[in-house]
Amino acid sequence: MSAPATRRVALLTLGCARNEVDSEELAARLAADGWELTDDGDDADVVMVNTCGFVEQAKQESVDTLLAAADTGAKVVAAGCMAERYGNQLADSLPEADAVLSFDDYPDISARLTAILNGENPAAHTPKDRRTLLPLAPVARQAAAASAALPGHGDRGDEGTPAHLKVLRRRLADGPVAHVKIASGCDRRCTFCAIPSFRGAFVSRHPDEILAEAAWLAGEGVREISLVSENTTSYGKDLGETGLLDRLVADLASVEGIVRVRASYLQPAELRPSLVKIIATTPGVAPYFDLSFQHASETVLRRMRRFGSVESFLQLCDQIRQYAPDAGIRTNVIVGFPGETEEEFGELVEFLNNARLDAVGVFGYSDEDGTEAAGLDGKLDEDTIAERYEIISALVDETSAQRAADRVGDTVHVMVDTVEDDDEGLVVEGRAAHQAPEVDGTTTLTGAVGDLRPGDLVEAVVVDSVGVDLVAKVDTPPARNG
């Protein structure tokens, strides 16, 4: 049976910014083969859900989205991290999905969806540890990676065309901000994390590819780019060049049309002083540090197979602020890790009380399939974890709000995200340099805002704060040519 003349696919993305980049690569592959993209599942022939498999809540949201998609009458396809992680197990437990696809299916995604639309029922893959697909030594991976499926990396020079001469991406959003994936996978062995097993070993993209994609995004109206990966501070180790991320960040800040570069997913143990200085002081780079602390007790961190302590983490925060006193610092922490004592929990409280962080994501520990921590002794009961979660959540709400209040009177540079009219007049929302998209609060602009547009980077003075959100006044709107 031949495919219909017009094939419509709704691509629904769950989870993190890395998934968003993967979806835009999938969208480009499908559009190139004649698929019409829609965000309406009721009007689609196929609904493909790019799932998240990080924690239990995210997995449940993925299942709920797949079940809702089945109600549209379209063919339903599970892709993404949960699909990769569970494969045939997910297919067996969720018959409502017509197919469960692996990352290995991405290069031929159009053919896969066409076959499914034509009534074929492809067998789901058996989950495997994707770290085994590439050499153990990082410097040996680049050649082997050419034949591996690495979502968000484009075609990497397939069919004789150098990767930096083409961009395999189609935007699914029209705002002034976009994420750019600079690497995939992770070589760390954190005991609580399953991500390396289904995302694979760490592989960097070549700087020329990343710069070409940034230039393409600028041509699509993007003004701010956010660099994402599983571990951004590992960038370049498989390319044989130390300090490559330092140069990449600075080069990206020089791309015509891009006015702000933001680096995310920084590993404190790998954060070199030179990179701290580059991020904190380079014009066009947001002085923003998304640091994966996870805890502050040295003994808990060792059980997590991580490094650090209250003292070393506070020293890192001080080092950042010596270069840029107003720098933004955010993190995530896990409470209730196996064996966490009252004293160790108190060390986390001490750190958060003194670090003056702008935003903190708080997670209560739960066992994850296939992780070392799932087999550790000393599991805390659910009530204790819930109590500690509430204590830390209340604490960081207070400390983050105080950090925002301390910014009153400061001059900030705000990227305008939205401009809307409502019953009370013009509402202009954006983000200061310390506020990443969707996770760190927003800044509402007042004053001379009548001529502002999404994508403007405007100077304003903070006049108020509400929780982590700011209110800032614009005195002089941006100059316009013509």
Side-chain angles (χ1 to χ4, degrees):
M1 180 185 299
S2 62
T6 301
R7 299 163 293 170
R8 295 185 177 88
V9 56
L11 185 51
L12 309 180
T13 306
L14 304 176
C16 66
R18 302 183 296 273
N19 259 16
E20 294 176 20
V21 177
D22 295 350
S23 286
E24 294 198 346
E25 180 183 296
L26 289 169
R29 292 183 184 278
L30 290 165
D33 203 40
W35 287 80
E36 180 181 326
L37 301 170
T38 176
D39 56 7
D40 183 3
D42 292 324
D43 189 40
D45 300 300
V46 178
V47 177
M48 182 163 59
V49 181
N50 189 351
T51 61
C52 179
F54 180 43
V55 293
E56 192 59 40
Q57 182 179 358
K59 288 183 279 190
Q60 187 58 55
E61 182 184 8
S62 294
V63 170
D64 291 344
T65 303
L66 288 162
L67 291 174
D71 291 337
T72 66
K75 296 288 187 180
V76 177
V77 175
C81 290
M82 186 178 182
E84 179 63 46
R85 184 176 181 183
Y86 293 104
N88 51 11
Q89 302 168 33
L90 178 62
D92 291 343
S93 64
L94 196 71
E96 291 84 355
D98 295 280
V100 173
L101 300 183
S102 166
F103 294 148
D104 295 328
D105 294 303
Y106 282 20
D108 299 309
I109 191 65
S110 177
R112 299 291 187 272
L113 296 195
T114 297
I116 294 163
L117 188 58
N118 286 341
E120 296 183 23
N121 295 301
H125 62 284
T126 299
K128 58 180 176 288
D129 188 335
R130 295 191 71 86
R131 290 172 292 193
T132 63
L133 301 180
L134 294 172
L136 183 62
V139 293
R141 289 180 192 156
Q142 285 292 318
S147 59
L150 299 174
H153 283 230
D155 281 329
R156 300 186 305 286
D158 290 355
E159 300 176 357
T161 304
H164 69 278
L165 297 182
K166 59 181 177 180
V167 175
L168 188 62
R169 184 165 183 173
R170 180 184 176 116
R171 294 205 73 202
L172 296 173
D174 56 5
V177 183
H179 303 289
V180 174
K181 181 177 283 192
I182 67 170
S184 287
C186 184
D187 289 340
R188 302 192 72 85
R189 293 296 184 265
C190 302
T191 57
F192 57 83
C193 184
I195 291 175
S197 66
F198 57 85
R199 275 292 185 177
F202 185 88
V203 180
S204 303
R205 295 179 68 195
H206 194 277
D208 288 347
E209 297 175 33
I210 298 168
L211 289 165
E213 186 167 317
W216 178 85
L217 287 166
E220 294 288 307
V222 170
R223 301 269 283 162
E224 176 180 329
I225 58 173
S226 177
L227 309 183
V228 299
S229 70
E230 274 73 34
N231 183 3
T232 298
T233 36
S234 282
Y235 180 76
K237 72 177 186 179
D238 53 325
L239 295 173
E241 295 185 52
T242 59
L244 190 57
L245 182 58
D246 302 23
R247 296 194 292 276
L248 175 64
V249 169
D251 288 345
L252 285 167
S254 299
V255 172
E256 185 176 358
I258 299 299
V259 298
R260 189 154 75 189
V261 176
R262 184 184 301 277
S264 299
Y265 303 101
L266 303 174
Q267 170 59 241
E270 298 178 10
L271 189 56
R272 300 179 307 279
S274 62
L275 182 59
V276 171
K277 184 176 181 179
I278 287 287
I279 294 175
T281 64
T282 303
V285 178
Y288 173 82
F289 293 82
D290 175 17
L291 300 170
S292 177
F293 288 130
Q294 301 301 345
H295 209 278
S297 166
E298 185 171 6
T299 48
V300 171
L301 289 166
R302 292 301 179 274
R303 294 199 297 276
M304 291 179 168
R305 293 197 189 281
R306 298 176 67 85
F307 300 94
S309 64
V310 172
E311 182 181 6
S312 66
F313 287 166
L314 289 176
Q315 287 176 348
L316 176 56
C317 293
D318 288 343
Q319 179 188 10
I320 289 167
R321 290 173 176 139
Q322 286 174 9
Y323 286 116
D326 295 330
I329 305 176
R330 83 168 328 269
T331 195
N332 294 311
V333 297
I334 299 172
V335 298
F337 191 77
E340 183 188 61
T341 65
E342 287 283 357
E343 181 180 356
E344 291 168 334
F345 178 70
E347 291 181 81
L348 177 60
V349 171
E350 175 191 354
F351 169 69
L352 294 172
N353 265 320
N354 290 287
R356 297 173 59 238
L357 303 179
D358 292 274
V360 182
V362 184
F363 296 87
Y365 173 81
S366 62
D367 288 338
E368 280 295 313
D369 299 335
T371 62
E372 184 180 346
L376 292 178
D377 295 331
K379 297 289 176 59
L380 277 64
D381 61 75
E382 292 185 3
D383 289 343
T384 300
I385 294 174
E387 179 184 3
R388 292 182 181 182
Y389 173 88
E390 292 299 329
I391 291 170
I392 295 298
S393 295
L395 172 61
V396 299
D397 283 349
E398 179 182 347
T399 56
S400 297
Q402 183 58 55
R403 176 67 172 152
D406 290 343
R407 293 184 183 275
V408 173
D410 290 352
T411 298
V412 292
H413 293 87
V414 179
M415 172 65 65
V416 177
D417 287 328
T418 59
V419 179
E420 298 177 354
D421 270 315
D422 66 11
D423 294 337
E424 299 182 1
L426 202 62
V427 178
V428 182
E429 295 284 344
R431 293 166 297 98
H434 69 282
Q435 297 170 320
E438 301 175 1
V439 294
D440 294 330
T442 62
T443 298
T444 301
L445 293 175
T446 64
V449 298
D451 192 39
L452 293 182
R453 307 168 188 169
D456 284 336
L457 187 65
V458 60
E459 186 175 280
V461 176
V462 180
V463 296
D464 198 5
S465 66
V466 181
V468 296
D469 299 326
L470 303 180
V471 179
K473 182 180 179 183
V474 179
D475 289 324
T476 305
R480 303 282 184 205
N481 294 324

